[in-house]
Amino acid sequence: MTKAACTSDAWYKTAVIYELYVRGFQDSNRDGRGDFRGLISRLDYLVSLGINCIWLMPIYPTPGKDDGYDIMDYYGVNSEYGTLEDFRSLIHEAHSRGLRIIGELVLNHTSDQHRWFQEAKKGPDSPYFDYYVWSDNPEKYSAATIIFSDLETSNWSYCKENGYYYWHRFFHHQPDLNYDNPQVRQEMIRVVRFWMDLGLDGFRVDAVPYLYEREGTNCENLPETHAFIKEIRAVLDSDYPGAILLAEANQWPEDLVKYFGDGDEFHMAFNFPLMPRLFMSLQLEHHGPIIDIMKRLPTIPESCQWAMFLRNHDEMTLEMVTDEERDYMFNAYAEDRQMRLNRGIRRRLAPLLGNDRRKIELLHAILLTLPGTPVLYYGDEIGMGDNIYLGDRNGVRTPMHWNDNKNAGFSEAQPSRLYAPVITDPVYNFHSVNVEEDRNNRNSLFSWLRNLICIRRNFPIFGAGTIEFLYPDNKRVLVYLIRHEEMRMLCVFNLSPSAQPVEIDLSFLGNCIPIEIVGGTIFPAIGELPYLLTPNGYGYYIFHLFE
Ligand code: GLC
Ligand code: CA
């Protein structure tokens, strides 16, 4: 291992992260909503799955119009979730089990219920007016796109109180903060310090590209934004070493990699360009989309890392694809219009993949072996379903299924009190899809995934290595080699539903013996001749190569 990969400050390079929605995880006080104490009682479950870092969706006080991404106060917690003391205990309990916790840093906007905005509405004389972006001309910055295109018609909304328009890249109730104001920047650094002092291990930074606006640009990825993130990073490096920043920047590769700076900006960034192409390759039964986009990703600084994901709490965004590709994806994965939202698909992993266990395993196997750190989404480890009729993105945020008791073991409240119903449809209902069922079954998705996570964690090469794609004639098969120092892993994935013969030229490796790491089976030696494999439909091999 290189130094960066094995010192504990670079823990994120070999971590397995689990994204979790506090409201949806476990209710401890029968009010129908998950809370910190409930989550504490489920930490051992997360340990048993093998993850070692939790990413919490927002936990701040909020009017709840965007599930907490609309913040009313950066220095407190949502009282439905518990008290700040409960949150401290959560951090303590997690740390004592070897789990790290990263929170959300929502820099771009606040809720319109935030005291700053309430004050700002009083007009230009208010000391807070300049905390937000105002104009009397709603045509300003017209080159900026509307992100929530199904729900908003403009990035400007009129404020009746003061007669100006305020700028918002997301919902109209989420006014953008004005980063040209040094007070705003200082305030946010103070927020960072507050949560760091409390013991968080870092932040997923929300909606990064949009911090600044400049006329004549699309108001994304501006140099000023990079400069401010570097300031935050410098604070972490000097006062909170080991804490990380993870970027949510849904951008094309060229713009995305800039968020790593020279290793002095974000530690990690979600691989948004890759995510939809994993699904595209699978649908097309062709390794092209995955290889092409990976080749377009420039090398990133040694201390940086991709965050790899299949699904999260949002719709599967189809922004980083061409219009043609988007149409293809809509037709393939969201035939029913109810499944579409903005420019994406609001579905969980299992339903997206037609509940095909082989496909679910295949995508996870790719996710866990490509260079980067995997980020799983709660519930996907048991193949939970969704509810596309709940509106916005709520259908992928329903209560976790723990067992087949009342409310799937999530809450003791009356079912009608739950913040959202558990899934009861015939295929994904909680009687059959739940943690207890899966944990007791050695052949379940959960057991399979736990095993693969364990293997992955025993081979830190997967987080630290470099990738080299191989190009077999049979394009239904994806083949890559991961190298790190003397170690080499060969990964082979059949993207089609039927068995495929594949000849791979491995003569450049010299004589070596592949050992398949899931079963520990020794395969025939690699020599001069093309190496022949015949993976089953959606089958895969992960080999450790020995001299
Ligand atoms: C991010 C979040 C999303 C939220 C938006 C506005 O994209 O992932 O859930 O709605 O930011 O804060
Ligand atoms: Ca509760």
Side-chain angles (χ1 to χ4, degrees):
M1 296 269 98
T2 59
K3 188 163 170 292
C6 65
T7 59
S8 65
D9 280 1
W11 59 270
Y12 53 91
K13 288 205 116 183
T14 51
V16 179
I17 302 178
Y18 186 93
E19 178 188 8
L20 179 156
Y21 180 44
V22 175
R23 179 182 317 228
F25 214 55
Q26 179 66 56
D27 177 17
S28 74
N29 65 348
R30 301 169 169 231
D31 68 352
R33 309 181 191 105
D35 42 56
F36 298 136
R37 290 181 174 279
L39 170 52
I40 291 172
S41 72
R42 295 298 188 184
L43 290 174
D44 289 334
Y45 164 75
L46 296 176
V47 172
S48 77
L49 176 59
I51 62 107
N52 54 2
C53 177
I54 302 170
W55 150 31
L56 294 178
M57 283 169 64
I59 50 144
Y60 306 92
T62 172
K65 291 186 184 164
D66 185 14
D67 251 335
Y69 288 95
D70 46 337
I71 295 174
M72 266 168 76
D73 172 11
Y74 286 95
Y75 299 99
V77 294
N78 184 342
S79 57
E80 288 176 1
Y81 291 177
T83 63
L84 203 57
E85 262 326 294
D86 294 333
F87 187 68
R88 271 208 187 91
S89 323
L90 169 63
I91 295 182
H92 175 75
E93 293 291 331
H95 285 172
S96 69
R97 288 168 174 80
L99 299 172
R100 288 185 161 89
I101 300 196
I102 63 174
E104 288 273 355
L105 184 61
V106 183
L107 295 173
N108 182 62
H109 45 266
T110 68
S111 159
D112 60 0
Q113 302 302 307
H114 196 290
R115 189 177 53 87
W116 301 338
F117 192 70
Q118 294 296 316
E119 291 292 326
K121 284 203 299 189
K122 294 179 181 160
D125 290 340
S126 158
Y128 290 98
F129 184 76
D130 206 30
Y131 268 48
Y132 294 90
V133 182
W134 301 94
S135 171
D136 43 21
N137 168 21
E139 300 303 316
K140 214 173 160 186
Y141 308 141
S142 58
T145 56
I146 297 174
I147 297 167
F148 289 160
S149 53
D150 282 0
L151 307 153
E152 297 290 343
T153 51
S154 167
N155 287 326
W156 292 104
S157 284
Y158 185 66
C159 173
K160 282 198 292 282
E161 282 93 325
N162 64 26
Y164 289 94
Y165 294 87
Y166 62 91
W167 178 252
H168 54 86
R169 280 313 287 274
F170 294 90
F171 288 117
H172 63 276
H173 54 72
Q174 284 167 324
D176 275 36
L177 285 164
N178 173 19
Y179 277 87
D180 280 321
N181 180 349
Q183 274 172 287
V184 168
R185 300 199 299 269
Q186 275 165 21
E187 190 73 56
M188 285 309 170
I189 301 259
R190 211 174 302 149
V191 169
V192 167
R193 288 187 178 280
F194 177 83
W195 293 98
M196 283 292 119
D197 289 337
L198 221 84
L200 275 188
D201 297 290
F203 297 101
R204 177 251 193 198
V205 188
D206 183 69
V208 175
Y210 319 106
L211 302 192
Y212 287 83
E213 300 73 34
R214 293 288 179 261
E215 199 56 276
T217 73
N218 66 354
C219 301
E220 298 183 13
N221 314 317
L222 295 171
E224 293 84 347
T225 297
H226 289 284
F228 181 56
I229 300 292
K230 286 193 168 79
E231 254 183 73
I232 299 184
R233 170 66 184 262
V235 169
L236 294 193
D237 283 354
S238 75
D239 295 352
Y240 308 96
I244 61 155
L245 295 174
L246 162 56
E248 186 215 18
N250 193 353
Q251 300 289 328
W252 287 97
E254 302 69 29
D255 293 317
L256 182 52
V257 293
K258 295 202 181 112
Y259 286 100
F260 292 118
D262 296 321
D264 57 354
E265 212 170 317
F266 280 98
H267 300 80
M268 300 179 70
F270 285 105
N271 198 331
F272 273 101
L274 173 70
M275 182 272 293
R277 290 178 174 81
L278 294 169
F279 294 87
M280 212 182 291
S281 268
L282 191 59
Q283 186 69 22
L284 285 166
E285 302 174 24
H286 196 293
H287 60 217
I290 295 176
I291 297 181
D292 293 348
I293 201 73
M294 290 294 290
K295 294 242 140 198
R296 247 183 89 177
L297 293 174
T299 327
I300 61 178
E302 165 77 19
S303 61
C304 295
Q305 179 76 320
W306 290 111
M308 313 294 275
F309 68 112
L310 299 171
R311 288 309 326 116
N312 63 18
H313 65 288
D314 286 325
E315 71 274 28
M316 175 202 276
T317 58
L318 299 173
E319 318 240 18
M320 296 310 120
V321 299
T322 62
D323 290 346
E324 259 184 358
E325 290 170 329
R326 187 173 314 113
D327 285 344
Y328 177 79
M329 289 291 285
F330 274 142
N331 288 330
Y333 287 105
E335 231 176 304
D336 182 343
R337 296 203 78 84
Q338 188 72 25
M339 297 169 181
R340 305 180 190 180
L341 179 71
N342 304 320
R343 292 208 281 174
I345 303 175
R346 50 170 158 195
R347 305 224 70 189
R348 266 189 180 271
L349 185 66
L352 270 172
L353 300 179
N355 208 22
D356 186 330
R357 192 44 204 280
R358 297 174 307 166
K359 290 188 185 176
I360 298 174
E361 289 187 6
L362 183 75
L363 283 195
H364 273 111
I366 298 176
L367 185 80
L368 285 153
T369 54
L370 278 177
T373 291
V375 183
L376 310 173
Y377 182 54
Y378 89 96
D380 284 350
E381 74 274 28
I382 52 168
M384 253 174 73
D386 51 31
N387 181 346
I388 55 173
Y389 302 102
L390 289 183
D392 200 357
R393 291 148 291 174
N394 298 324
V396 301
R397 303 178 187 177
T398 61
M400 180 72 176
H401 293 183
W402 294 104
N403 51 47
D404 77 342
N405 300 342
K406 179 168 125 184
N407 299 325
F410 159 72
S411 170
E412 305 263 304
Q414 286 310 314
S416 49
R417 265 196 93 177
L418 299 193
Y419 75 91
V422 295
I423 305 290
T424 51
D425 68 44
V427 179
Y428 299 100
N429 72 79
F430 68 91
H431 299 291
S432 45
V433 179
N434 67 59
V435 167
E436 198 174 288
E437 190 75 22
D438 259 30
R439 277 175 107 176
N440 295 334
N441 175 357
R442 285 173 54 198
N443 296 315
S444 65
L445 176 61
F446 174 89
S447 301
W448 174 86
L449 185 58
R450 176 173 54 188
N451 187 37
L452 202 67
I453 291 174
C454 174
I455 291 171
R456 147 114 198 174
R457 289 188 53 192
N458 286 335
F459 286 95
I461 176 175
F462 287 120
T466 52
I467 191 164
E468 187 181 323
F469 287 99
L470 303 182
Y471 299 89
D473 286 340
N474 187 341
K475 298 190 170 40
R476 292 197 161 93
V477 184
L478 171 70
V479 186
Y480 49 82
L481 200 63
I482 305 287
R483 292 178 194 260
H484 190 70
E485 294 171 356
E486 298 303 301
M487 202 174 198
R488 292 164 307 178
M489 310 293 285
L490 175 69
C491 308
V492 180
F493 306 92
N494 178 0
L495 302 165
S496 85
S498 52
Q500 295 292 327
V502 59
E503 289 191 3
I504 314 168
D505 181 1
L506 295 174
S507 54
F508 66 97
L509 290 173
N511 287 335
C512 56
I513 311 275
I515 299 189
E516 198 285 315
I517 62 174
V518 179
T521 309
I522 300 176
F523 270 58
I526 292 170
E528 289 301 313
L529 295 176
Y531 200 69
L532 175 68
L533 289 166
T534 49
N536 276 334
Y538 301 123
Y540 61 91
Y541 301 102
I542 306 170
F543 295 113
H544 186 182
L545 303 180
F546 285 90
E547 295 287 323

